[in-house]
Amino acid sequence: MSTAFLYFLHVLSPLHSGTGQGVGVIDLPIAREKATGIPYLPGSSVKGVLRDRSGNDNLTYLLFGPPTDQASEHAGSLQITDARLLLLPVRALRGTFAWVTSPYVLRRLARDAQDIGISDLPPVPTLDDHVCDVIAEAAIGVEWERNNQQIRRVVLEDLDLQPQPRYAEQWAAWLSKHIFPAGDKEWASMLAPRLCIVSDNVLIFLLSTAIEVIARNRLNDNKTVAKGALWYEEALPAETVLYGLTLLSPTAKVREQQNEAALKDRINTLTQGTLQFGGKTTVGRGLCRMRLVSVQEG
């Protein structure tokens, strides 16, 4: 019997999951979906990191498949989807930053979660471009007086949005419960006042302005930039949250050895602590925390 998990990645340092050479101003862009432009981390990257962490024993071969020279013997039992963007940290006029998402992103999360049997998700809002769904007492709201009237706004990057509390409180409670471990109450409590649901159009705009762009170079022995060795690369900023699905589908080899429980324990062990995804490992990029959510937890 297959076992499915929803997994979340909380990015601790800028994450560069590249697609090779760029053709525009950015020399090394991050991977984005072709139709939507939304960033993602390929499932192959996630699976590769877990495989490398697992070592070389029988459980590893049952989960990820045997060594290359024995690949024809049996398939691996673990399937991992791409990690899709869920929450994008965006600079705010007040409160340092907001965790931004949109109805389309939440609708995809709800669809994927429901497909594996998680059914307690809040309703997904629909929003106009000038409105954002936040909790009424949000730490990111600003207020001023104009013509004897109190004006309240949420200012993200260059956008001035009207706060409209609707479903943000329900989504903040659900997300903080699942993204952060039970013992990490401090980070869980930070999500509620910073969660900001904006329209899909606004999110697409922010994805072109709030993604981190890093200038890199290579120096000569005299500490000057080598010729042709200055380049720009994109990265998902620290505090980004991504999500995906994992499916443990026991093969005949697993059923023969009757060790499905051991495989589940191994998966939980592999996702503990800090993991590194994407490129630029030696400069500290891509440090993340991973959390699995089972159907029972949902």
Side-chain angles (χ1 to χ4, degrees), residues 30-33 36-40 85-90 100-102 104-105 108 157 159 198-213 234-237 240 242:
I30 57 176
R32 294 175 183 259
E33 298 171 2
T36 65
I38 297 176
Y40 71 96
L85 179 73
L86 176 58
L87 301 176
L88 177 71
V90 175
V100 177
T101 188
S102 80
Y104 173 64
V105 171
R108 292 205 303 187
E157 293 287 342
L159 299 177
V198 301
S199 72
D200 298 326
N201 288 333
V202 169
L203 178 64
I204 295 302
F205 170 77
L206 291 172
L207 287 174
S208 66
T209 60
I211 298 297
E212 192 163 334
V213 177
E234 283 186 315
L236 287 172
T240 298
L242 307 133

Side-chain angles (χ1 to χ4, degrees), residues 39-60:
Y40 71 96
L41 175 66
S44 57
S45 294
V46 181
K47 190 173 182 179
V49 169
L50 298 181
R51 169 63 182 85
D52 185 62
R53 205 178 215 208
S54 188
N56 294 292
D57 58 9
N58 185 54
L59 285 180
T60 297

Side-chain angles (χ1 to χ4, degrees), residues 37 49 52 75 82-83 91 98 130 141 173 220 223 230 237 252 258 265 267 287 289 298:
V49 169
D52 185 62
D82 296 339
R91 180 179 56 182
H130 67 283
N220 290 317
K223 303 302 181 183
L230 172 65
Q258 298 182 345
D265 290 340
I267 294 173
L287 297 178
R289 287 179 182 163

Side-chain angles (χ1 to χ4, degrees), residues 270-281:
L270 293 177
T271 56
Q272 299 301 310
T274 302
L275 300 93
Q276 193 279 333
F277 298 99
K280 315 303 174 184
T281 308

Side-chain angles (χ1 to χ4, degrees), residues 7-12 86-87 97 99 171-195 239-242 289-293 297:
Y7 74 85
F8 293 96
L9 289 179
H10 180 199
V11 178
L12 306 181
L86 176 58
L87 301 176
F97 75 97
W99 266 306
W171 273 105
W174 193 92
L175 291 171
S176 60
K177 169 187 170 184
H178 292 89
I179 294 172
F180 304 106
D184 200 352
K185 295 181 180 179
E186 183 177 358
W187 277 100
S189 65
M190 285 183 63
L191 179 58
R194 287 178 169 79
L195 181 64
E239 312 308 341
T240 298
V241 177
L242 307 133
R289 287 179 182 163
M290 187 172 183
R291 184 156 192 263
L292 294 180
V293 177
E297 290 180 81

Side-chain angles (χ1 to χ4, degrees), residues 201-275:
N201 288 333
V202 169
L203 178 64
I204 295 302
F205 170 77
L206 291 172
L207 287 174
S208 66
T209 60
I211 298 297
E212 192 163 334
V213 177
I214 304 164
R216 299 286 308 281
N217 62 49
R218 178 169 53 82
L219 301 181
N220 290 317
D221 293 338
N222 60 1
K223 303 302 181 183
T224 60
V225 177
K227 185 177 181 180
L230 172 65
W231 73 94
Y232 293 89
E233 60 190 40
E234 283 186 315
L236 287 172
E239 312 308 341
T240 298
V241 177
L242 307 133
Y243 81 94
L245 297 177
T246 66
L247 180 66
L248 179 60
S249 184
T251 60
K253 190 83 171 177
V254 173
R255 292 192 293 271
E256 175 188 318
Q257 298 185 14
Q258 298 182 345
N259 51 9
E260 294 180 38
L263 292 182
K264 293 178 185 178
D265 290 340
R266 174 61 64 88
I267 294 173
N268 283 312
T269 300
L270 293 177
T271 56
Q272 299 301 310
T274 302
L275 300 93

